[in-house]
């Protein structure tokens, strides 16, 4: 027929040059990355097979499934974006609270150290500053109440677990006071770790009331000599993109390096020291360098109207409450910053996945339309030849 374009060659098999019927099945495979056209390789049993990529990058879905998955990714993107905005709005307030709290707590600790030093020179015994041989240590582990914040909870739980293992290797018993739902769920499933109490956060931002509950428990454990040392394990807020899990000695109120076990070995955490790898006798050795920090001391000419023990008794509840409240604030700011970054990455991944799925959907739809057109053209060509 003049002017007609024959397209029967599109449906011919190289082996037998026989057109494919409309009942033959086609398989179209859309991939996430990279998107490229895979040429037809073989024709067996009237079925077209193509080169398939790795199974992890393969999308074997129909047009309807791809459309539903695109809608699901869009919904997930809205959720992650909303969570990112909420975390970004809350992290500013938490960051301000941390910055404002640090000068007060640091100055209070310096004053208490100075008063305690003066009291020790006058042979005044104060229960919370008594350094006993360490037989049992209490760890106050501060985690978050919610997930979807990257590796925030895993990092502080891992830090606490390593500290427990380190103490047990030295023959020192350990008891955990867990603060936060994630830590409570973890330690409640560990029979090898003794848990004294599990405390959950009560509000959006930590308050002195929540810190007081933890401080009362810590105070009773130390004064009753059930534990000889109390340590805080929390995440220190450094910046919006960085936070570090740290260990901070809470009780006894003494300088670092004075808490020792029955054998006289220091049991303080090594994070307060700076390590250097050096060469000694042809081997690598570790040198520890103490960081000396100048602190303002109480003038020896200063006289107290009240007994130093009474002053310490009045200030110690404030010290415990402020230190625990600071740990809660630092942990919350680190959690919000980690959640903001995690949700930002999740939103970016959702955008990329939606783009890839849309491209796969368009290719599958185009392949389906092309197949239908080929069937129509082949039918028309067969009618014309007959």
């Amino acid at each position: 027929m003049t002017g007609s374009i024959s397209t029967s060659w599109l449906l011919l098999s190289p082996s037998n040059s026989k057109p494919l019927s409309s009942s033959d099945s086609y398989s179209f495979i859309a991939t996430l990355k990279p998107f490229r056209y895979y040429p037809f390789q073989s024709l067996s049993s009237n079925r077209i097979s193509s080169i398939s990529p790795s199974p992890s990058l393969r999308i074997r879905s129909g047009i309807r499934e791809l459309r539903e998955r695109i809608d699901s990714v869009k919904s997930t993107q809205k959720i992650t974006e909303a969570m990112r905005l909420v975390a970004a709005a809350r992290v500013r307030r938490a960051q301000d609270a941390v910055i404002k709290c640090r000068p007060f707590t640091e100055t209070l600790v310096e004053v208490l150290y100075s008063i305690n030093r003066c009291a020790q020179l006058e042979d005044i015994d104060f229960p919370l500053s008594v350094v006993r041989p360490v037989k049992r240590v209490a760890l106050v582990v501060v985690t978050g109440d919610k997930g979807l914040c990257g590796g925030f909870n895993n990092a502080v739980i891992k830090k606490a677990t390593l500290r427990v293992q380190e103490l047990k290797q030295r023959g020192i018993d350990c008891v955990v006071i867990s603060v936060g739902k994630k830590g409570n769920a973890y330690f409640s499933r560990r029979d090898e770790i003794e848990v004294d109490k599990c405390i959950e956060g009560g509000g959006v931002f930590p308050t002195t009331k929540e810190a007081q509950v933890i401080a009362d428990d810590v105070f009773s454990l130390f004064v009753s000599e059930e534990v000889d040392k109390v340590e805080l394990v929390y995440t220190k807020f450094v910046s919006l993109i960085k936070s570090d899990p740290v260990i901070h000695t809470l009780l006894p109120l003494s300088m670092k390096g004075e808490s020792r076990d029955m054998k006289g070995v220091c049991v303080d955490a090594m994070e307060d020291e700076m390590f250097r790898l050096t060469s000694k006798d042809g081997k690598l050795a570790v040198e520890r360098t103490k960081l000396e920090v100048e602190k303002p001391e109480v003038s020896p000419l200063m006289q107290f109207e009240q007994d130093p023990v009474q002053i310490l008794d009045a200030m110690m509840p404030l010290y415990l409450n402020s230190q625990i409240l600071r740990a809660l604030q630092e942990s919350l700011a680190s959690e919000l910053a980690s959640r903001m970054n995690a949700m930002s990455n999740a939103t970016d991944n959702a955008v990329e996945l939606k783009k890839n799925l849309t491209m796969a959907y368009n290719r599958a739809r185009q392949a389906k339309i092309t197949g239908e057109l080929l069937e129509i053209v082949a039918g028309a060509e067969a009618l014309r030849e007959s």
Side-chain angles (χ1 to χ4, degrees), residues 27-45:
S27 65
F28 298 97
I29 298 178
T31 59
L32 275 176
K33 293 181 180 179
F35 285 111
R36 60 169 67 111
Y37 174 76
Y38 294 97
F40 297 139
Q41 292 295 314
S42 63
L43 287 168
S44 59
S45 301

Side-chain angles (χ1 to χ4, degrees), residues 88-101:
R90 292 178 57 192
V91 74
R92 298 298 179 183
R93 180 179 172 184
Q95 183 180 6
D96 293 339
V98 169
I99 295 175
K100 293 178 181 178
C101 182

Side-chain angles (χ1 to χ4, degrees), residues 34-94:
F35 285 111
R36 60 169 67 111
Y37 174 76
Y38 294 97
F40 297 139
Q41 292 295 314
S42 63
L43 287 168
S44 59
S45 301
N46 293 333
R47 183 178 180 87
I48 302 177
S49 62
S50 60
I51 298 178
S52 60
S54 60
S56 60
L57 298 178
R58 184 184 304 170
I59 302 178
R60 286 188 177 274
S61 302
I63 295 179
R64 179 179 300 177
E65 288 78 7
L66 285 173
R67 189 187 300 113
E68 292 176 354
R69 191 172 178 186
I70 291 173
D71 295 338
S72 176
V73 172
K74 288 181 179 179
S75 301
T76 304
Q77 179 185 349
K78 293 179 181 179
I79 295 174
T80 56
E81 180 65 16
M83 294 184 65
R84 184 189 69 82
L85 294 176
V86 172
R90 292 178 57 192
V91 74
R92 298 298 179 183
R93 180 179 172 184

Side-chain angles (χ1 to χ4, degrees), residues 161 235 237:
T161 304
T235 306
F237 179 78

Side-chain angles (χ1 to χ4, degrees), residues 27-252:
S27 65
F28 298 97
I29 298 178
T31 59
L32 275 176
K33 293 181 180 179
F35 285 111
R36 60 169 67 111
Y37 174 76
Y38 294 97
F40 297 139
Q41 292 295 314
S42 63
L43 287 168
S44 59
S45 301
N46 293 333
R47 183 178 180 87
I48 302 177
S49 62
S50 60
I51 298 178
S52 60
S54 60
S56 60
L57 298 178
R58 184 184 304 170
I59 302 178
R60 286 188 177 274
S61 302
I63 295 179
R64 179 179 300 177
E65 288 78 7
L66 285 173
R67 189 187 300 113
E68 292 176 354
R69 191 172 178 186
I70 291 173
D71 295 338
S72 176
V73 172
K74 288 181 179 179
S75 301
T76 304
Q77 179 185 349
K78 293 179 181 179
I79 295 174
T80 56
E81 180 65 16
M83 294 184 65
R84 184 189 69 82
L85 294 176
V86 172
R90 292 178 57 192
V91 74
R92 298 298 179 183
R93 180 179 172 184
Q95 183 180 6
D96 293 339
V98 169
I99 295 175
K100 293 178 181 178
C101 182
R102 281 178 179 175
F104 172 77
T105 55
E106 292 174 358
T107 305
L108 179 61
V109 170
E110 294 170 0
V111 173
L112 284 175
Y113 275 144
S114 300
I115 297 176
N116 186 34
R117 190 180 298 110
C118 295
Q120 290 177 355
L121 295 176
E122 298 179 6
D123 295 332
I124 299 176
D125 293 333
F126 181 64
L128 298 181
S129 63
V130 175
V131 180
R132 302 187 293 263
V134 180
K135 301 177 184 177
R136 199 166 186 238
V137 177
L139 291 181
V140 182
V141 184
V142 182
T143 58
D145 291 333
K146 299 178 182 179
L148 297 178
C149 51
F152 166 77
N153 292 311
N154 292 335
V156 66
I157 289 175
K158 182 179 179 181
K159 189 78 170 180
T161 304
L162 293 177
R163 181 59 175 165
V164 171
Q165 295 175 357
E166 178 185 355
L167 293 172
K168 287 185 176 181
Q169 289 176 358
R170 298 184 179 184
I172 301 174
D173 295 334
C174 185
V175 61
V176 171
I177 301 174
S178 178
V179 182
K181 293 182 181 179
K182 293 299 180 180
N184 298 346
Y186 175 83
F187 290 111
S188 62
R189 298 193 301 265
R190 298 296 183 274
D191 297 333
E192 69 275 8
I193 300 178
E194 182 182 355
V195 180
D196 177 74
K197 183 178 292 187
C198 293
I199 303 174
E200 295 183 1
V204 178
F205 288 94
T207 60
T208 55
K209 184 178 180 180
E210 299 174 11
Q212 189 63 45
V213 174
I214 306 172
D216 293 340
D217 190 30
V218 167
F219 180 83
S220 61
L221 286 176
F222 188 81
V223 172
S224 61
E225 297 186 4
E226 294 183 23
V227 297
D228 304 305
K229 194 175 190 298
V230 180
E231 295 179 348
L232 275 172
V233 184
Y234 65 98
T235 306
K236 184 177 181 180
F237 179 78
V238 180
S239 64
L240 293 176
I241 60 175
K242 182 180 180 182
S243 57
D244 299 324
V246 297
I247 300 176
H248 173 69
T249 300
L250 188 62
L251 291 175

